[in-house]
Every structure is written in C-alpha cells, then in structure tokens.
Amino acid sequence: MTDFSLLGISGALRAESLNRKLIREAGRLSGAVFTEANLNVPLYDGDDEENEGIPTSVQTLSDQIAAADAVVISTPEYNQALSGVLKNALDWVSRTEGNPWQDKPVAILCAAAGRTGGARATYSLRLAMTPFQPHLLTGPEVGIASAFSEFDEQGQLTNPRYVKALSGLMDGLKASAAR
Ligand SMILES: Cc1cc2nc3c(=O)[nH]c(=O)nc-3n(C[C@H](O)[C@H](O)[C@H](O)COP(=O)(O)O)c2cc1C
C-alpha cells in the first residue's frame, strides 16, 4: 500500500486534549496520510433525526470512516468508561446509510490521568464498537497513564516504551489494512 490513509478520532473535544495529541502521534508514527475527525456533532435526538435527517457533521464523519484505510480512536476515561461525546458520535454514525465500520481496521488508544492508563475506558469502547463489526486490533495495548506528563511541548510522546507500543500498533493497523 503506497498511501495509507488514517482517520484519527479523539473522544475529547478540548483543543489541548491529551487524546487529541495521542491520535496525532499515531498519525506521525504511522507515516499515514492523517485526517482528524470532529466529534462536535449534535446530541442524538430521535425527533431531530425524524424531522431533519442526518446532520451534515454526522454524515461527514461517517463518510470519513468509510473512506479511510484504517481508524484510530483515542478515548478519555470518564468515570471508568468511554466519553459520552464518543458514544454519542458512534450512535449517530450507526444511523447513517450502510455501516462504515464493517471490517474496518480499528485501533483503540487511551490517554488518562490515572495510573491504569484508562484500561476500563478502552474495554468499554471495545464493547461499544462490537455491534459495528470492525476489525479491532487487540494489541499492543496503548494506554497512557498519568498522561499529563507524557507529552513534550511539541505534543510528542516522551517515553520510548509508549512510542514503541504505539508504533507496533500502527504497524499492525497498516498490515491489517493491506490484507
Ligand atoms: C468527568 C471526568 C471523569 C474522569 N474520570 C477518570 C477516570 O475514571 N479515570 C482516569 O484515569 N481519569 C479520569 N478523568 C481524568 C481524565 O483522564 C483527564 O482529564 C484526561 O486528560 C481527559 O482526556 P483529555 O486530555 O483528552 O481531555 C476524568 C475526567 C473527567 C472530566
């Protein structure tokens, strides 16, 4: 595969989000043509869907997932689970035509303040992804613990162990996309 296209999804919206930094690191270390998704979509409301259809921002997200060779999702850990922002976006995308996730190579990451590196958030995201039947990579696991001190001023990971794990995960993603 010459140009490997990677869509990065951060489950946190804030500009300085550590999960946003982490998907950018995934893009950098993979050497991919990297696109960053925007989860700033409306809250799912069945009445709005019935009256107004799929919001443009949701259709754009769905189209980006469908077009990418692979997707990397980094969720923050909120109260031991994935973020509501991310779950809302997943629910909206499931209402679009077709299933953009079907057999899509997907890697899950987490940057969390706690010492577990968001292990529970990543498992809850795995469960949340199951209905869409993507090809979810199982490892190497990348959960950045105490993440506020793991990025330098350029937003790059400083710990070689995390760089190695993320690079390995991206290699697996590329191999999966090439099959
Ligand atoms: C509502 C809320 C709940 C949180 N719960 C957890 C948690 O269960 N485990 C944890 O490690 N960090 C938790 N945190 C801290 C986040 O890991 C930390 O704020 C992280 O930087 C959020 O991701 P972001 O930098 O991408 O915004 C929580 C933060 C918020 C705002």
Side-chain angles (χ1 to χ4, degrees), residues 10-21 74-81 110-121 144-148:
S10 166
L13 296 177
R14 68 191 187 97
E16 288 301 310
S17 158
L18 301 170
N19 286 281
R20 190 185 302 284
K21 289 179 182 173
S74 191
T75 182
E77 181 163 82
Y78 286 168
N79 301 305
Q80 307 183 0
C110 181
R115 281 178 296 173
T116 65
R120 295 157 297 196
I144 312 295
S146 305
F148 45 82

Side-chain angles (χ1 to χ4, degrees), residues 3 35 47 53 63 67 73 78 91 116 118-119 123 139 143 154 156 178-179:
D3 281 342
T35 304
D47 290 337
D63 292 345
I73 309 175
Y78 286 168
D91 290 337
T116 65
Y123 273 106
Q154 282 70 48
Q156 296 188 1
R179 280 199 279 272

